[in-house]
Amino acid sequence: QVQMTESGGGDVQPGGSLRLSCIVSEEAFNRRALGWFRQRPGREREGVACLTWTWNIDYLDSVKGRFTISRNNAKRTLYLQMNNLSPADTAMYYCAADRGALCSASWLDGGPTFEHWGQGTQVTVSS
């Protein structure tokens, strides 16, 4: 059974940092693109960061220079390091696995090609 389990969310003040983790079952990890997505209050789900199997990376423009996606193959874990957080980053964050190895052209639009999803972890940035 495919499992994707996020952790690391929480409450943080503006300017603070959090690291999200996502443990991925083998079927959903190997040779797949992995991504982080978020759904902010009142908005559609959007792509935040995408990591291909061959380590090509893409980011949502508003998080470039602040967020870093990475993975540990031995631990089958995907990470999202988030620095200099702002209230606009408040959202439910999800990890997901694509059906293929690449980040599709549509990944920013909520990841329609991503077929396995975690349950989400809440990030709240406020003072």
Side-chain angles (χ1 to χ4, degrees):
Q1 181 178 355
V2 172
Q3 290 187 326
M4 303 190 69
T5 306
E6 303 100 334
S7 62
D11 297 338
V12 63
Q13 292 187 339
S17 297
L18 285 173
R19 187 175 83 153
L20 306 183
S21 299
C22 176
I23 299 175
V24 186
S25 60
E26 184 174 3
E27 176 184 345
F29 187 87
N30 290 335
R31 304 192 180 283
R32 291 176 182 255
L34 300 174
W36 287 98
F37 297 81
R38 68 185 182 188
Q39 188 159 17
R40 294 184 283 174
R43 300 202 179 193
E44 297 292 319
R45 187 174 67 201
E46 63 184 350
V48 174
C50 188
L51 172 64
T52 72
W53 181 246
T54 55
W55 283 92
N56 291 306
I57 294 173
D58 198 12
Y59 293 101
L60 178 68
D61 281 349
S62 64
V63 308
K64 287 179 180 177
R66 300 188 299 122
F67 290 13
T68 302
I69 188 172
S70 63
R71 72 172 188 256
N72 182 316
N73 289 353
K75 296 182 178 180
R76 293 204 309 273
T77 302
L78 179 71
Y79 302 100
L80 185 68
Q81 178 67 42
M82 306 187 294
N83 298 328
N84 194 21
L85 286 160
S86 76
D89 297 313
T90 294
M92 184 70 78
Y93 284 74
Y94 301 89
C95 62
D98 196 272
R99 57 178 179 247
L102 302 177
C103 299
S104 69
S106 63
W107 79 271
L108 282 168
D109 297 326
T113 61
F114 284 72
E115 61 178 358
H116 301 298
W117 294 82
Q119 81 287 351
T121 186
Q122 178 67 38
V123 172
T124 302
V125 185
S126 69
S127 54

